[in-house]
Amino acid sequence: MKLVILTGAGISAESGLGTFRDAGGLWEKYPIEQVATPEGFAADPALVHEFYNARRANCLTSAPNAAHDALARLEGTLGNDMLIVTQNVDDLHERAGSRSVWHMHGALNRAKCAVCDHSWNAPAKMHPDDPCPDCNTAATRPDVVWFGEMPYFMEDIYDRLHRADLFVSIGTSGNVYPAAGFVQEAAAAGARTLELNLEPSLGASSFDESRNGPASQIVPEWVDSLLRG
Ligand code: APR
């Protein structure tokens, strides 16, 4: 069975990492345009680095929860027939043992050069005047996809969605495209679709089935039911 799973901030909420649009979420504290757009970075790179340095530190002190662990367990059975496409920039899927994880919005633990596009493992803290290890220009940035930028792996993601038997969306509000449109892509190609989220997302009605509750509870329950066959 070919499975594509999309995850969002909700799967990492119980690991202590903030979501974006829940009460008290990140976008209430930091204006998106200041910390998650190329224009914001150009205007105040120090503020943007401060924002991602704080999220990187928060990520280091967090741990995968039972939902991440359950998906790693499922991959142990399904192997290469399973793919996780995550909107998250944390590395909790990898730390839980998942191997096939595509970060469509980039990753906190990666850095890149805004001039030569070289990318490398990010240090714990980044600063505007850090030189690029390759071209030496002081133009380093988090390797995170900002609003207005093209997400990674899109062609390959659509290819996997079109070949999936099952598409499962976990912990995402369905606010942001192109991820919010994946359910339609998968359904149009004949996949069954399931949403696992704390509450019905904006796109809940597009799914064949929608189960609500905390990810650390409903994801392991779903994985166990799948593995029982
Ligand atoms: N268990 C399951 N779902 C949860 C939990 C939980 N414990 N806590 C919150 N949720 C759900 C919320 O109900 C919400 O639907 O997770 C979702 C989080 O939604 P957002 O905060 O919008 O996060 P996400 O959907 O990942 O945002 C997508 O937007 O800002 C950009 O690039 C950013 O990748 C992000 C993208």
Side-chain angles (χ1 to χ4, degrees):
M1 182 250 297
K2 299 209 177 310
L3 169 63
V4 176
I5 295 181
L6 171 69
T7 61
I11 199 171
S12 300
E14 290 161 273
S15 295
L17 298 186
T19 63
F20 294 95
R21 295 170 182 85
D22 291 314
L26 281 167
W27 296 148
E28 268 182 30
K29 298 182 191 119
Y30 295 89
I32 286 182
E33 53 287 337
Q34 281 183 15
V35 295
T37 62
E39 297 75 18
F41 182 67
D44 190 347
L47 173 69
V48 174
H49 276 306
E50 203 180 287
F51 174 63
Y52 286 98
N53 290 345
R55 292 181 68 194
R56 206 172 287 116
N58 194 9
C59 192
L60 280 180
T61 58
S62 69
N65 64 59
H68 298 102
D69 295 341
L71 296 187
R73 197 165 68 237
L74 183 57
E75 186 181 359
T77 303
L78 293 182
N80 295 331
D81 281 342
M82 172 173 164
L83 167 68
I84 294 175
V85 177
T86 187
Q87 300 173 91
N88 299 338
V89 291
D90 64 61
D91 60 348
L92 294 180
H93 284 303
E94 292 85 346
R95 283 162 55 192
S98 289
R99 283 195 299 282
S100 184
V101 182
W102 295 355
H103 286 265
M104 63 180 288
H105 289 168
L108 275 177
N109 58 16
R110 295 291 292 173
K112 78 173 181 181
C113 175
V115 166
C116 75
D117 231 21
H118 175 63
S119 73
W120 63 97
N121 289 331
K125 289 203 176 303
M126 295 183 71
H127 310 92
D129 50 3
D130 293 344
C132 164
D134 208 41
C135 75
N136 215 27
T137 319
T140 61
R141 56 169 281 184
D143 191 359
V144 168
V145 177
W146 287 327
F147 286 93
E149 296 183 322
M150 180 58 77
Y152 289 128
F153 312 116
M154 289 314 299
E155 208 175 306
D156 291 337
I157 291 170
Y158 285 120
D159 174 55
R160 292 291 290 263
L161 290 170
H162 296 154
R163 290 189 289 119
D165 301 302
L166 177 60
F167 171 72
V168 183
S169 177
I170 303 174
T172 181
S173 62
N175 265 289
V176 176
Y177 285 81
F182 287 175
V183 57
Q184 277 91 5
E185 283 293 326
R192 281 181 295 114
T193 58
L194 166 66
E195 176 177 82
L196 302 176
N197 206 58
L198 188 62
E199 63 220 357
S201 75
L202 285 180
S205 58
S206 304
F207 288 85
D208 296 323
E209 187 187 355
S210 182
R211 296 184 197 173
N212 299 131
S216 65
Q217 191 187 313
I218 63 173
V219 175
E221 282 169 2
W222 167 69
V223 166
D224 292 344
S225 67
L226 202 65
L227 290 176
R228 273 197 302 272

